């Protein structure tokens, strides 16, 4: 483990659901990676009669070392030829355990009990960027190719990995982080079926086989204990730390999107990804936009009207996305669809568990 610093500032709950498998949304000091409680006022924890209810303890994220030596990183780099990337396929649709939990008023209250936290986007030079909504109304989309430019075409990318001996892909986004090397994606894009994926790389700005900003090899992978232990779709969140490339860190090259936790639900959002299952082929960045809604069936996730398919998993969902600048605040990721409702996409609510995964990753050093 190379933790060096701390920042101070597609499942089925019912028959027919499918996981959006490979190339298938909310600045205090945080102690999540050491097992301490999040958002607990100093001195309040364990103090009887203080009038303050201590925040619940958040389980420590699960960590997996990936290519954490120079030799291993070179091996992974050589592995991913253009032909292998183009041939990578979405994972088969899954039918996970039917033990999902419906969203209730109590669940919403519990999720938003913690103070909202938001980390700003950053330019490649490291300067923070204030994300502002565009003056024009957002263009509604349920799965159109992104034809504008802006920061999103550099920070979003495809993820490639091996799963049970075959090559597959997902989507992900570079985010602001202390180590300048953190990527956020879905839990099943780093681990599924009881094991972490191998040969894991992030390719920002992927377009028709081109890799304009290079291939970034993961050194460490993180996911929630709920996803790790039982593949609970409500916690389908992960982060990856990637090694420097040509002497530079990831966000020094592509910049980083903002990220936020414990935000209000049912807001206007944009989602992005690289869907690879028909009618898409994984060659271009696709987006959806609209007002998020709550899953009223078998999860506590949030949903969007979106036609993206397998391979888009892990792609970012943004609040306050500016279509002119391509900047927003990452607040969820593409996760799953119900088989009987292909026009709906769902993503996990970014609460304390997602924040703990982000903090664990962004405070991990790179070799």
């Amino acid at each position: 483990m190379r933790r060096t610093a701390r920042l101070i500032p597609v499942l089925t709950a019912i028959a027919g659901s499918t996981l959006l498998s490979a190339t298938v949304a909310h600045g205090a000091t945080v102690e999540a990676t050491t097992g301490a409680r999040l958002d607990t006022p100093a001195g309040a924890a364990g103090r009887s009669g203080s009038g303050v209810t201590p925040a619940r303890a958040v389980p420590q994220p699960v960590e997996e070392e990936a290519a954490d030596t120079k030799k291993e990183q070179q091996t992974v780099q050589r592995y991913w030829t253009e032909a292998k990337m183009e041939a990578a396929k979405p994972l088969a649709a899954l039918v996970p355990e039917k033990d999902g939990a419906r969203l209730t008023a109590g669940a919403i209250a519990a999720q938003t009990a913690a103070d909202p936290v938001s980390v700003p986007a950053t330019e490649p030079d490291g300067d923070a960027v204030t994300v502002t909504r565009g003056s024009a109304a957002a263009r509604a989309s349920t799965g159109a190719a992104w034809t504008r430019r802006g920061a999103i075409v550099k920070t979003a990318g495809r993820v490639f990995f091996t799963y049970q001996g075959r090559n597959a892909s997902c989507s992900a986004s570079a985010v602001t982080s202390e180590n300048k090397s953190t990527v956020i994606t879905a839990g099943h894009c780093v681990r599924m079926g009881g094991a972490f994926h191998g040969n894991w790389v992030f390719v920002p700005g992927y377009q028709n086989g081109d890799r304009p900003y290079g291939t970034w090899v993961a050194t460490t992978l993180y996911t929630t204990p709920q996803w790790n232990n039982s593949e609970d779709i409500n916690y389908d969140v992960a982060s990856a730390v990637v090694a420097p490339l040509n002497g530079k860190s990831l966000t020094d090259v592509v910049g980083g999107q903002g990220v936020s936790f414990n935000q209000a639900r049912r807001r206007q959002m944009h989602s992005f990804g690289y869907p690879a299952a028909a009618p898409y082929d994984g060659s271009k960045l696709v987006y959806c936009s609209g007002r998020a809604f709550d899953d009223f069936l078998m999860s506590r996730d949030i949903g969007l009207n979106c036609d993206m398919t397998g391979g888009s998993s892990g792609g970012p969902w943004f609040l306050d996305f500016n279509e002119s600048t391509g900047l927003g605040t990452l607040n969820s990721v593409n996760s799953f669809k119900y088989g009987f409702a292909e026009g709906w996409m769902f993503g996990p609510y970014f609460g304390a568990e997602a924040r703990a995964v982000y903090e664990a990753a962004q405070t991990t050093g790179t070799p």
Side-chain angles (χ1 to χ4, degrees):
M1 185 185 301
R2 296 166 298 281
R3 186 114 348 104
T4 59
R6 185 178 297 121
L7 177 66
I8 301 179
V10 203
L11 166 146
T12 299
I14 56 179
S17 297
T18 58
L19 193 67
L20 283 179
S21 304
T23 346
V24 196
H26 295 322
T29 301
V30 178
E31 301 287 347
T33 56
T34 62
R37 294 176 176 178
L38 290 175
D39 303 312
T40 303
R47 195 170 65 207
S48 176
S50 66
V52 177
T53 301
R56 65 184 178 85
V58 176
Q60 185 172 348
V62 177
E63 175 183 333
E64 175 76 3
E65 291 188 352
D68 59 354
T69 68
K70 297 295 184 183
K71 183 177 181 180
E72 290 173 334
Q73 292 158 22
Q74 291 169 357
T75 299
V76 174
Q77 281 275 6
R78 288 194 296 267
Y79 179 82
W80 285 109
T81 63
E82 181 178 347
K84 285 181 178 177
M85 286 186 176
E86 290 181 352
K89 302 294 184 182
L91 302 178
L94 303 179
V95 182
E97 297 177 5
K98 302 176 182 180
D99 59 355
R102 290 186 62 184
L103 185 71
T104 64
I108 293 177
Q111 285 180 339
T112 57
D115 291 337
V117 173
S118 187
V119 178
T122 47
E123 298 279 10
D125 61 10
D127 289 344
V129 182
T130 299
V131 175
T132 58
R133 296 180 186 176
S135 57
R139 299 172 298 165
S141 170
T142 59
W146 179 257
T147 56
R148 297 190 182 186
R149 300 297 297 171
I152 188 66
V153 302
K154 298 176 68 175
T155 56
R158 288 186 78 179
V159 168
F160 296 92
F161 54 86
T162 55
Y163 168 69
Q164 295 185 349
R166 64 190 182 88
N167 298 328
S169 68
C170 270
S171 304
S173 177
V175 295
T176 295
S177 57
E178 182 154 330
N179 59 16
K180 300 183 178 182
S181 303
T182 297
V183 172
I184 290 182
T185 186
H188 67 272
C189 295
V190 305
R191 189 184 195 280
M192 194 165 66
F196 280 85
H197 306 321
N199 296 321
W200 204 99
V201 298
F202 174 58
V203 184
Y206 184 95
Q207 183 77 10
N208 294 313
D210 292 336
R211 298 181 247 178
Y213 307 107
T215 302
W216 300 76
V217 180
T219 63
T220 315
L221 302 172
Y222 291 95
T223 191
T224 61
Q226 294 91 342
W227 178 261
N228 180 78
N229 297 337
S230 61
E231 297 191 354
D232 184 338
I233 203 66
N234 296 293
Y235 303 95
D236 186 17
V237 182
S239 284
V241 179
V242 296
L245 183 63
N246 300 323
K248 293 185 177 181
S249 296
L250 176 64
T251 60
D252 286 335
V253 177
V254 302
Q257 295 284 354
V259 58
S260 59
F261 309 92
N262 307 320
Q263 301 294 310
R265 289 170 166 265
R266 305 169 191 168
R267 295 174 61 180
Q268 185 75 22
M269 301 190 80
H270 283 66
S271 69
F272 291 84
Y274 285 86
Y280 304 97
D281 61 7
S283 65
K284 59 180 67 69
L285 184 64
V286 172
Y287 83 106
C288 297
S289 67
R291 184 164 296 278
F293 57 90
D294 295 331
D295 182 8
F296 55 87
L297 295 172
M298 295 298 290
S299 82
R300 297 189 178 96
D301 286 8
I302 53 180
L304 275 178
N305 291 321
C306 188
D307 296 328
M308 282 194 278
T309 60
S312 64
S313 283
W317 290 32
F318 295 106
L319 295 173
D320 300 326
F321 186 79
N322 186 311
E323 294 192 348
S324 296
T325 65
L327 289 169
T329 306
L330 195 152
N331 195 232
S332 186
V333 293
N334 295 320
S335 177
F336 79 99
K337 284 188 168 186
Y338 290 107
F340 57 83
E342 292 296 327
W344 293 348
M345 173 81 76
F346 293 92
Y349 177 82
F350 267 30
E353 289 79 8
R355 182 180 175 186
V357 167
Y358 164 71
E359 291 293 342
Q362 71 132 4
T363 55
T364 294
T366 57

